[in-house]
Amino acid sequence: MSGQNAPESVHWHSEILNAAGRGTLVIGDLERWAAEGRRMADAGDVDFAQIDALDADLLKRVNPDIVLSALVADTFDAVDVALKLITCSYRGKYRAITDQEVDAPLITREIKSLSDELDFGLLVLRAPPPAANDG
């Protein structure tokens, strides 16, 4: 499951960097990423999986401290991931990532309403503003 393909440049949010422990599980559309030529960096403590592979066996084997996914992907969204994690009694952190303007409090309330046990948060990543002389 450890990945082979990822974007050339990855800037890890401090919450992800500070996730002491076992590692990170990234849920994504691996087939699409590969078709787009994305390379998943072999980061050692980062494992990648399709949403269909997310089950109790995978969580037991990987034993992640944090699970990451897109807020909305082609074939799933954060609610789908959260429900699978809840079903598997996952107790670590789950963070959904987006680069869009969203109503973060509303989304967080919706996911947390599924279970008080799930440590959910939203990471809104924005591209840095263009440099003054890029234009």
Side-chain angles (χ1 to χ4, degrees):
M1 281 272 151
S2 284
Q4 306 86 307
N5 304 3
E8 289 294 328
S9 164
V10 176
H11 301 283
W12 294 102
H13 188 277
S14 62
E15 183 173 10
I16 298 166
L17 285 175
N18 295 329
R22 304 165 296 259
T24 301
L25 176 61
V26 178
I27 305 300
D29 187 347
L30 307 186
E31 292 173 7
R32 189 182 106 209
W33 293 353
E36 292 174 345
R38 296 185 190 185
R39 292 190 338 242
M40 286 171 269
D42 186 7
D45 290 339
V46 179
D47 288 276
F48 297 85
Q50 296 271 126
I51 183 74
D52 296 342
L54 181 56
D55 62 16
D57 290 336
L58 175 67
L59 290 169
K60 183 177 180 181
R61 188 171 64 252
V62 173
N63 195 20
D65 187 57
I66 188 167
V67 174
L68 303 173
S69 78
L71 177 62
V72 178
D74 289 344
T75 59
F76 66 90
D77 63 22
V79 171
D80 299 319
V81 175
L83 289 171
K84 283 190 168 233
L85 293 171
I86 292 164
T87 299
C88 297
S89 300
Y90 175 73
R91 298 290 184 257
K93 295 178 182 178
Y94 168 43
R95 300 296 180 263
I97 302 170
T98 184
D99 62 355
Q100 305 294 316
E101 286 294 323
V102 296
D103 186 342
L106 175 68
I107 293 167
T108 301
R109 277 193 311 274
E110 179 182 351
I111 300 288
K112 287 187 177 207
S113 75
L114 301 172
S115 171
D116 292 333
E117 303 287 318
L118 187 62
D119 179 355
F120 175 78
L122 190 62
L123 299 176
V124 181
L125 306 179
R126 292 184 182 85
N133 41 348
D134 281 353

